[in-house]
Structure formats: C-alpha cells, structure tokens
Amino acid sequence: MLRNVLGKTFRFLGYTVQYGCIAHCAFEYVGGIVVCSGPSMEPTIQNSDIVFSENLSRHFYCIRKGDIVIVKSPNDPKSNICKRVIGLEGDKVCTSNPSDFLKSHSYVPKGHVWLEGDNLRNSTDSRCYGPVPYGLIRGRICLKIWPLNDFGFLRASPNGHRFLDD
C-alpha cells in the first residue's frame, strides 16, 4: 500500500517537473500572452490590449527598427515596458522631444537600442533614460489578440518621420 502511494506521488512529481520545464522553455524561448497597460503606445496599442509576444527574435538578434518590443524597464527592473525600436546600435537618432525647437541627435552605442512610445507626448522612453541595453529586451510583439475587432498584425509607427537614415 505504502509503495503504491509513494510510486504515484513520485510519478506525479516527475510529471509536474517535466511539464514545468516544458512550460518554462515555451514562455522563455517561444513567447507568451501580454496585457499592455498605459498610454505610451497609443494609438497602436491601447490600455488593456492583449498581444502575443514572441521571444525567438531577441535570441537570434533579429530585432529591427520599427518593431514593438517588451523590455525590462531600465527604471524599475521588476516591471516590463512596451516600446517601439527607433534605432539600433550605430544609428543616428533624434534625442529631443517633438515640441523642442532645436533638435539634438546622438548615436546609439554598441549593444543598445533606442526605444520610444508611439504617443510621444505621453511616453517615458529613451528620450528620458537613454539607450537601452539589448539584453533587457524580453520579446517582440507580433500580433494583437484583443480586442477582437483589432485582431491581427500591428500597424506601422505613426512617427515614421523619427526614423533617421543617416
């Protein structure tokens, strides 16, 4: 009787560990569902929109300008932020706010990206905390899931003029 109970308990624990490892690998390397909050990505992503974030791009260094990414916040490592990649290492970026009369530019250092929210007037982004290390990128958002009337791939940046080709 005891042998039977111990056998079932160890089998259950073994399956739990196996499925836990599979789930961890799936969420770490494949992707997951993310609920976005805040106004910084409006109108592309609204508060409480649900998106799918894939994680393979960051592992294979396939992040490009214009991609929307989930990143560990440089200001608060316990939280994630959702921003658009405006510049990759070596790119020249506009570091000033849209309302600034004099525009300032800088180059993105090696191993970093420049991130901005689509809602430039209501976004805390690289214009505030500077370039973000590539290692803080958690995933790339590729699909909006909710609300259903907005289901599909994400639209282009409303701030395309901020991408510099110099």
Side-chain angles (χ1 to χ4, degrees):
M1 173 79 173
L2 181 61
R3 177 180 272 173
N4 191 19
V5 170
L6 284 175
K8 287 182 180 182
T9 302
F10 284 124
R11 250 190 319 276
F12 175 76
L13 288 173
Y15 287 134
T16 302
V17 169
Q18 285 176 340
Y19 291 125
C21 290
I22 291 169
H24 168 74
C25 289
F27 289 124
E28 180 66 23
Y29 296 103
V30 177
I33 307 292
V34 177
V35 178
C36 295
S37 62
S40 72
M41 285 304 293
E42 291 176 355
T44 309
I45 298 174
Q46 304 289 328
N47 191 34
S48 301
D49 280 0
I50 300 173
V51 296
F52 178 77
S53 170
E54 62 85 11
N55 299 347
L56 292 174
S57 293
R58 76 178 169 110
H59 292 293
F60 293 115
Y61 297 94
C62 297
I63 302 294
R64 299 180 310 223
K65 279 198 269 187
D67 287 346
I68 299 174
V69 292
I70 301 293
V71 180
K72 285 278 184 208
S73 172
N75 294 337
D76 178 16
K78 294 179 182 174
S79 66
N80 292 321
I81 57 174
C82 176
K83 304 291 180 197
R84 190 178 296 271
V85 177
I86 300 299
L88 302 170
E89 64 181 43
D91 287 344
K92 183 179 180 182
V93 293
C94 180
T95 58
S96 55
N97 289 312
S99 59
D100 292 348
F101 182 71
L102 294 174
K103 302 296 181 201
S104 58
H105 297 87
S106 182
Y107 288 93
V108 180
K110 184 175 178 144
H112 290 70
V113 294
W114 189 267
L115 304 175
E116 291 181 3
D118 285 354
N119 185 355
L120 292 173
R121 299 198 190 292
N122 197 2
S123 177
T124 302
D125 48 37
S126 287
R127 292 171 295 151
C128 298
Y129 44 71
V132 176
Y134 192 91
L136 293 182
I137 297 175
R138 305 300 304 145
R140 180 179 66 92
I141 295 177
C142 55
L143 189 69
K144 189 185 286 190
I145 297 171
W146 188 263
L148 284 178
N149 62 338
D150 241 358
F151 180 86
F153 296 104
L154 297 170
R155 64 180 92 124
S157 172
N159 306 313
H161 63 280
R162 300 222 8 124
F163 295 85
L164 299 176
D165 293 326
D166 296 349

PDB file of all heavy atoms in Angstrom, residues 52-67:
ATOM      1  N   PHE A  52       0.397  39.085 -28.441  1.00  0.00           N
ATOM      2  CA  PHE A  52       1.287  37.930 -28.370  1.00  0.00           C
ATOM      3  C   PHE A  52       2.703  38.412 -28.606  1.00  0.00           C
ATOM      4  O   PHE A  52       2.993  39.105 -29.584  1.00  0.00           O
ATOM      5  CB  PHE A  52       0.923  36.873 -29.418  1.00  0.00           C
ATOM      6  CG  PHE A  52       1.866  35.704 -29.397  1.00  0.00           C
ATOM      7  CD1 PHE A  52       1.769  34.744 -28.407  1.00  0.00           C
ATOM      8  CD2 PHE A  52       2.857  35.578 -30.351  1.00  0.00           C
ATOM      9  CE1 PHE A  52       2.656  33.667 -28.360  1.00  0.00           C
ATOM     10  CE2 PHE A  52       3.742  34.504 -30.323  1.00  0.00           C
ATOM     11  CZ  PHE A  52       3.633  33.555 -29.322  1.00  0.00           C
ATOM     12  N   SER A  53       3.592  38.062 -27.694  1.00  0.00           N
ATOM     13  CA  SER A  53       4.993  38.438 -27.778  1.00  0.00           C
ATOM     14  C   SER A  53       5.827  37.197 -28.049  1.00  0.00           C
ATOM     15  O   SER A  53       5.799  36.249 -27.270  1.00  0.00           O
ATOM     16  CB  SER A  53       5.430  39.090 -26.455  1.00  0.00           C
ATOM     17  OG  SER A  53       6.814  39.265 -26.420  1.00  0.00           O
ATOM     18  N   GLU A  54       6.561  37.208 -29.160  1.00  0.00           N
ATOM     19  CA  GLU A  54       7.445  36.080 -29.461  1.00  0.00           C
ATOM     20  C   GLU A  54       8.854  36.419 -29.009  1.00  0.00           C
ATOM     21  O   GLU A  54       9.275  37.560 -29.100  1.00  0.00           O
ATOM     22  CB  GLU A  54       7.362  35.693 -30.946  1.00  0.00           C
ATOM     23  CG  GLU A  54       7.797  36.755 -31.935  1.00  0.00           C
ATOM     24  CD  GLU A  54       9.280  36.785 -32.200  1.00  0.00           C
ATOM     25  OE1 GLU A  54      10.002  35.849 -31.789  1.00  0.00           O
ATOM     26  OE2 GLU A  54       9.746  37.758 -32.794  1.00  0.00           O
ATOM     27  N   ASN A  55       9.566  35.414 -28.504  1.00  0.00           N
ATOM     28  CA  ASN A  55      10.881  35.644 -27.906  1.00  0.00           C
ATOM     29  C   ASN A  55      12.050  35.161 -28.755  1.00  0.00           C
ATOM     30  O   ASN A  55      13.195  35.372 -28.387  1.00  0.00           O
ATOM     31  CB  ASN A  55      10.946  34.970 -26.531  1.00  0.00           C
ATOM     32  CG  ASN A  55       9.915  35.527 -25.581  1.00  0.00           C
ATOM     33  OD1 ASN A  55       9.307  36.558 -25.834  1.00  0.00           O
ATOM     34  ND2 ASN A  55       9.695  34.843 -24.485  1.00  0.00           N
ATOM     35  N   LEU A  56      11.785  34.512 -29.873  1.00  0.00           N
ATOM     36  CA  LEU A  56      12.878  33.969 -30.687  1.00  0.00           C
ATOM     37  C   LEU A  56      13.714  35.079 -31.318  1.00  0.00           C
ATOM     38  O   LEU A  56      14.934  34.943 -31.445  1.00  0.00           O
ATOM     39  CB  LEU A  56      12.327  33.039 -31.760  1.00  0.00           C
ATOM     40  CG  LEU A  56      11.719  31.740 -31.237  1.00  0.00           C
ATOM     41  CD1 LEU A  56      11.071  30.960 -32.365  1.00  0.00           C
ATOM     42  CD2 LEU A  56      12.776  30.891 -30.550  1.00  0.00           C
ATOM     43  N   SER A  57      13.081  36.176 -31.717  1.00  0.00           N
ATOM     44  CA  SER A  57      13.808  37.267 -32.382  1.00  0.00           C
ATOM     45  C   SER A  57      14.943  37.808 -31.530  1.00  0.00           C
ATOM     46  O   SER A  57      16.021  38.095 -32.029  1.00  0.00           O
ATOM     47  CB  SER A  57      12.852  38.415 -32.714  1.00  0.00           C
ATOM     48  OG  SER A  57      11.933  38.024 -33.675  1.00  0.00           O
ATOM     49  N   ARG A  58      14.706  37.940 -30.238  1.00  0.00           N
ATOM     50  CA  ARG A  58      15.763  38.501 -29.392  1.00  0.00           C
ATOM     51  C   ARG A  58      16.929  37.533 -29.252  1.00  0.00           C
ATOM     52  O   ARG A  58      18.072  37.952 -29.154  1.00  0.00           O
ATOM     53  CB  ARG A  58      15.227  38.902 -28.024  1.00  0.00           C
ATOM     54  CG  ARG A  58      14.971  37.750 -27.097  1.00  0.00           C
ATOM     55  CD  ARG A  58      14.481  38.248 -25.736  1.00  0.00           C
ATOM     56  NE  ARG A  58      14.003  37.148 -24.937  1.00  0.00           N
ATOM     57  CZ  ARG A  58      14.621  36.688 -23.866  1.00  0.00           C
ATOM     58  NH1 ARG A  58      15.721  37.260 -23.443  1.00  0.00           N
ATOM     59  NH2 ARG A  58      14.134  35.680 -23.210  1.00  0.00           N
ATOM     60  N   HIS A  59      16.649  36.232 -29.258  1.00  0.00           N
ATOM     61  CA  HIS A  59      17.723  35.247 -29.130  1.00  0.00           C
ATOM     62  C   HIS A  59      18.570  35.163 -30.400  1.00  0.00           C
ATOM     63  O   HIS A  59      19.757  34.865 -30.339  1.00  0.00           O
ATOM     64  CB  HIS A  59      17.159  33.867 -28.795  1.00  0.00           C
ATOM     65  CG  HIS A  59      16.566  33.794 -27.420  1.00  0.00           C
ATOM     66  ND1 HIS A  59      17.310  33.897 -26.268  1.00  0.00           N
ATOM     67  CD2 HIS A  59      15.275  33.645 -27.009  1.00  0.00           C
ATOM     68  CE1 HIS A  59      16.529  33.805 -25.214  1.00  0.00           C
ATOM     69  NE2 HIS A  59      15.289  33.659 -25.632  1.00  0.00           N
ATOM     70  N   PHE A  60      17.939  35.428 -31.552  1.00  0.00           N
ATOM     71  CA  PHE A  60      18.654  35.360 -32.824  1.00  0.00           C
ATOM     72  C   PHE A  60      19.061  36.742 -33.336  1.00  0.00           C
ATOM     73  O   PHE A  60      19.471  36.886 -34.480  1.00  0.00           O
ATOM     74  CB  PHE A  60      17.797  34.648 -33.873  1.00  0.00           C
ATOM     75  CG  PHE A  60      17.592  33.192 -33.571  1.00  0.00           C
ATOM     76  CD1 PHE A  60      16.322  32.703 -33.286  1.00  0.00           C
ATOM     77  CD2 PHE A  60      18.657  32.312 -33.541  1.00  0.00           C
ATOM     78  CE1 PHE A  60      16.127  31.363 -32.996  1.00  0.00           C
ATOM     79  CE2 PHE A  60      18.475  30.968 -33.250  1.00  0.00           C
ATOM     80  CZ  PHE A  60      17.210  30.496 -32.978  1.00  0.00           C
ATOM     81  N   TYR A  61      18.950  37.765 -32.481  1.00  0.00           N
ATOM     82  CA  TYR A  61      19.317  39.139 -32.831  1.00  0.00           C
ATOM     83  C   TYR A  61      18.631  39.594 -34.120  1.00  0.00           C
ATOM     84  O   TYR A  61      19.266  40.128 -35.024  1.00  0.00           O
ATOM     85  CB  TYR A  61      20.841  39.276 -32.921  1.00  0.00           C
ATOM     86  CG  TYR A  61      21.511  39.017 -31.610  1.00  0.00           C
ATOM     87  CD1 TYR A  61      21.997  37.753 -31.276  1.00  0.00           C
ATOM     88  CD2 TYR A  61      21.629  40.031 -30.672  1.00  0.00           C
ATOM     89  CE1 TYR A  61      22.581  37.507 -30.044  1.00  0.00           C
ATOM     90  CE2 TYR A  61      22.223  39.799 -29.432  1.00  0.00           C
ATOM     91  CZ  TYR A  61      22.686  38.529 -29.135  1.00  0.00           C
ATOM     92  OH  TYR A  61      23.268  38.306 -27.921  1.00  0.00           O
ATOM     93  N   CYS A  62      17.327  39.365 -34.186  1.00  0.00           N
ATOM     94  CA  CYS A  62      16.530  39.730 -35.358  1.00  0.00           C
ATOM     95  C   CYS A  62      15.624  40.931 -35.086  1.00  0.00           C
ATOM     96  O   CYS A  62      14.657  41.136 -35.806  1.00  0.00           O
ATOM     97  CB  CYS A  62      15.683  38.550 -35.819  1.00  0.00           C
ATOM     98  SG  CYS A  62      16.643  37.144 -36.370  1.00  0.00           S
ATOM     99  N   ILE A  63      15.895  41.698 -34.061  1.00  0.00           N
ATOM    100  CA  ILE A  63      15.098  42.883 -33.766  1.00  0.00           C
ATOM    101  C   ILE A  63      15.474  43.967 -34.776  1.00  0.00           C
ATOM    102  O   ILE A  63      16.656  44.215 -35.006  1.00  0.00           O
ATOM    103  CB  ILE A  63      15.339  43.381 -32.318  1.00  0.00           C
ATOM    104  CG1 ILE A  63      15.001  42.286 -31.299  1.00  0.00           C
ATOM    105  CG2 ILE A  63      14.573  44.652 -32.036  1.00  0.00           C
ATOM    106  CD1 ILE A  63      13.553  41.891 -31.235  1.00  0.00           C
ATOM    107  N   ARG A  64      14.457  44.599 -35.386  1.00  0.00           N
ATOM    108  CA  ARG A  64      14.690  45.624 -36.404  1.00  0.00           C
ATOM    109  C   ARG A  64      14.034  46.939 -36.011  1.00  0.00           C
ATOM    110  O   ARG A  64      13.164  46.967 -35.142  1.00  0.00           O
ATOM    111  CB  ARG A  64      14.120  45.163 -37.745  1.00  0.00           C
ATOM    112  CG  ARG A  64      14.752  43.893 -38.265  1.00  0.00           C
ATOM    113  CD  ARG A  64      14.131  43.519 -39.575  1.00  0.00           C
ATOM    114  NE  ARG A  64      12.668  43.537 -39.450  1.00  0.00           N
ATOM    115  CZ  ARG A  64      11.859  42.628 -39.950  1.00  0.00           C
ATOM    116  NH1 ARG A  64      12.335  41.635 -40.632  1.00  0.00           N
ATOM    117  NH2 ARG A  64      10.556  42.736 -39.793  1.00  0.00           N
ATOM    118  N   LYS A  65      14.429  48.002 -36.679  1.00  0.00           N
ATOM    119  CA  LYS A  65      13.775  49.294 -36.472  1.00  0.00           C
ATOM    120  C   LYS A  65      12.299  49.155 -36.824  1.00  0.00           C
ATOM    121  O   LYS A  65      11.949  48.523 -37.825  1.00  0.00           O
ATOM    122  CB  LYS A  65      14.398  50.372 -37.356  1.00  0.00           C
ATOM    123  CG  LYS A  65      15.671  50.934 -36.803  1.00  0.00           C
ATOM    124  CD  LYS A  65      16.015  52.255 -37.442  1.00  0.00           C
ATOM    125  CE  LYS A  65      16.878  52.069 -38.653  1.00  0.00           C
ATOM    126  NZ  LYS A  65      17.369  53.336 -39.206  1.00  0.00           N
ATOM    127  N   GLY A  66      11.450  49.733 -35.979  1.00  0.00           N
ATOM    128  CA  GLY A  66      10.014  49.677 -36.211  1.00  0.00           C
ATOM    129  C   GLY A  66       9.322  48.577 -35.426  1.00  0.00           C
ATOM    130  O   GLY A  66       8.097  48.602 -35.280  1.00  0.00           O
ATOM    131  N   ASP A  67      10.072  47.602 -34.917  1.00  0.00           N
ATOM    132  CA  ASP A  67       9.476  46.527 -34.114  1.00  0.00           C
ATOM    133  C   ASP A  67       9.007  47.071 -32.770  1.00  0.00           C
ATOM    134  O   ASP A  67       9.637  47.960 -32.197  1.00  0.00           O
ATOM    135  CB  ASP A  67      10.484  45.401 -33.857  1.00  0.00           C
ATOM    136  CG  ASP A  67      10.759  44.551 -35.077  1.00  0.00           C
ATOM    137  OD1 ASP A  67       9.993  44.638 -36.063  1.00  0.00           O
ATOM    138  OD2 ASP A  67      11.750  43.793 -35.051  1.00  0.00           O
TER     139      ASP A  67
END
